[in-house]
Structures are given as C-alpha cells and as structure tokens.
C-alpha cells in the first residue's frame, strides 16, 4: 500500500492504550499511570480517559526519571490501585466487545502487566484481548533489516509521527496509534484486524526466537534460556495471584 493511500476501514476508528509503571517486570511491577483513548481516521483523539494510581509500593527513582511520577505524588493524588486496574481493564474490554482494535506499542508488556495486576487485585484479567495492533511487531515484520533501535520515539520519527512528552501515557498511546495508521498506509497489512492479530502472534514468536539466538551468540543469554515470544499476553507464573497484594 503506497504512502498516503487511504486507511483500511478497520483503522478509521482505533483504540489506543499505554501504561507507565514502577519498572519493567510484568509480574512484579505496578501501574502508575494509564491511558485508554480512541482515534479517528486522521489520528485525532475523539475519546479518552487517563488514570493516576497509588501503586501501593515505592516508585523507584529510575522509574520516576522516566515518567516523572514520584511516590509522594502517587500517594497523595493517585487513586487506589485496585480501582484503577479494574477501570482500565473494563475500558479495554468495552472496546474489544465493540469490535474496536486497540493499539499498544510493545503490547505484550502493557497487556501482560495489566493482566498480572488484575490477578493481584482480584479483577478478572484480559487473558486473550483481541484484536490488538502492535506497531513494534508490525514494523519489525515489514522492515526487518532496518538498522537502529526500535523504541517508540525512534519508530515514530521514522514514520514522521510527532511525539511530544515521551513516556507520558497519553502521548505515547496516541503516537503509537498514529504509527499504526502510518504503517497501514505504507505496507499491505492483512484485510481485517482479526487476521492481523493472528499474524502478529507468529511474528512476535519468530522475532523473540531470532533475538534469543542473537543474545546467545553475544553471551547476553545462556544457551538454555529463551525470550518469551508470547503475544499479546504472556502467561503469568503460578505465584502471580491475589496473595501478592500489599
């Protein structure tokens, strides 16, 4: 699909989702801020909701340096984590129930962490959300050999998508949605979001296997280890249950 061509009909109304968290471990880290919105065909925000949670644990300085939320601010201004997790999960479930695809950059991180948080707080998790659109997976699949990093900031710049206030949940989510639309204008994506979702499951698995092979070759991973290529939700460990609540 040449650049500038019309979007597929199923990308003219798309959900967008992003979390900012206490860290990068999907099983042990917690939600700090969240955003769920809807974009129109022009990438304009037509519906949105943001959340600030008190995660119930201290926010490490490294995480604060990324998203700007301190422990003191989250405790004084944030809502109880179980309420935020329940509402974010419900908002996403509502979009999926309406058949609206949801874009999340590096979706297996955000959806996996949200699912683990849901289990922790006794909320029914989104164990098989669909259809999900992950611009990171799609970009790697269609432009596999492009050199350089694949952070949202870098990929957004590559597709001429503005991204201000990076690592702020709403800014990241909206930029990811616009990158997904840019990808659809440049490449021939599958004909439906369900087909794209299925393709991404395989692409993510292959990409994880390829990265595992590379990391083993440079000594970054033990030959017996492997990156988890499950997408869009990684299976939680058996100990990730409500007993982990603080």
């Amino acid at each position: 699909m040449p650049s500038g061509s019309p979007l597929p009909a199923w990308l003219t109304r798309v959900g967008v989702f992003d979390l900012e968290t206490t860290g990068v471990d999907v099983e042990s880290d917690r939600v700090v801020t969240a955003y769920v919105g809807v974009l129109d065909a022009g990438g304009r925000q037509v519906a949105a909701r943001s959340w600030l949670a008190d995660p119930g644990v201290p926010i490490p300085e490294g995480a604060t340096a990324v998203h700007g939320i301190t422990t003191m601010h989250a405790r004084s201004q944030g809502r109880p984590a179980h309420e935020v997790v329940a509402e974010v999960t419900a908002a996403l479930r509502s979009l999926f129930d309406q058949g609206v695809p949801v874009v999340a950059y590096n979706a297996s991180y955000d959806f996996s962490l949200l699912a683990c948080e849901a289990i922790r707080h006794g909320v029914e998790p989104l164990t098989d959300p669909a259809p999900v659109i992950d611009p990171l997976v799609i970009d790697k699949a269609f432009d596999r050999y492009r050199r350089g990093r694949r952070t949202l900031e870098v990929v957004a710049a590559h597709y001429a998508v503005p991204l201000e206030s990076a690592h702020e949940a709403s800014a990241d989510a909206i930029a990811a949605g616009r990158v997904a639309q840019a990808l659809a204008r440049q490449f021939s994506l599958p004909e439906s979001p369900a087909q794209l979702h299925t393709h991404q499951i395989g692409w993510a698995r292959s990409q994880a296997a390829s990265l595992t092979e590379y990391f083993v070759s440079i000594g970054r991973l033990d030959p017996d280890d492997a990156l988890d290529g499950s997408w869009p939700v990684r299976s939680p460990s058996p100990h990730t249950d409500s007993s982990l609540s603080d």
Side-chain angles (χ1 to χ4, degrees):
M1 185 177 295
S3 180
S5 64
L7 285 174
W10 50 268
L11 260 176
T12 57
R13 180 171 179 260
V14 64
V16 291
F17 165 52
D18 187 69
L19 300 176
E20 297 298 329
T21 64
T22 60
V24 297
D25 188 308
V26 298
E27 294 193 3
S28 63
D29 282 306
R30 312 296 179 90
V31 173
V32 177
T33 63
Y35 173 89
V36 176
V38 177
L39 306 184
D40 67 10
R44 294 177 291 267
Q45 176 182 275
V46 295
R49 185 168 181 188
S50 296
W51 293 262
L52 170 64
D54 173 1
V57 298
I59 300 173
E61 291 182 3
T64 296
V66 172
H67 52 59
I69 307 298
T70 64
T71 300
M72 181 178 297
H73 181 70
R75 286 177 176 170
S76 64
Q77 302 297 320
R79 294 175 53 214
H82 71 274
E83 294 181 4
V84 170
V85 169
E87 290 176 9
V88 173
T89 301
L92 291 167
R93 182 173 281 117
S94 176
L95 289 175
F96 290 127
D97 286 347
Q98 296 172 57
V100 177
V102 174
V103 176
Y105 197 86
N106 192 17
S108 62
Y109 171 77
D110 295 87
F111 278 105
S112 298
L113 192 145
L114 181 64
C116 287
E117 278 276 66
I119 294 168
R120 181 178 291 115
H121 292 292
V123 174
E124 182 182 356
L126 289 167
T127 55
D128 189 22
V132 172
I133 301 171
D134 188 338
L136 175 60
V137 172
I138 298 168
D139 180 52
K140 286 182 176 181
F142 281 90
D143 200 355
R144 179 178 178 183
Y145 298 107
R146 189 176 78 246
R147 293 182 178 274
R149 303 175 67 198
R150 303 277 181 143
T151 64
L152 176 58
E153 290 176 88
V154 170
V155 173
H158 178 76
Y159 291 103
V161 172
L163 173 56
E164 298 178 0
S165 303
H167 301 296
E168 194 276 324
S170 62
D172 285 0
I174 292 168
R178 291 170 178 169
V179 170
Q181 292 176 327
L183 287 163
R185 289 188 171 100
Q186 182 154 337
F187 301 111
S188 295
L189 299 186
E191 295 182 358
S192 73
Q195 290 175 329
L196 178 59
H197 184 96
T198 300
H199 279 293
Q200 288 173 103
I201 293 171
W203 293 338
R205 186 184 304 115
S206 296
Q207 290 163 11
S210 178
L211 191 56
T212 294
E213 184 177 347
Y214 171 69
F215 281 165
V216 169
S217 73
I218 64 172
R220 189 168 169 180
L221 270 182
D222 186 271
D224 293 330
D225 294 332
L227 299 177
D228 187 350
S230 303
W231 184 95
V233 178
R234 304 170 198 164
S235 299
S237 298
H239 65 265
T240 309
D241 56 29
S242 58
S243 66
L244 293 179
S245 296
D246 290 322

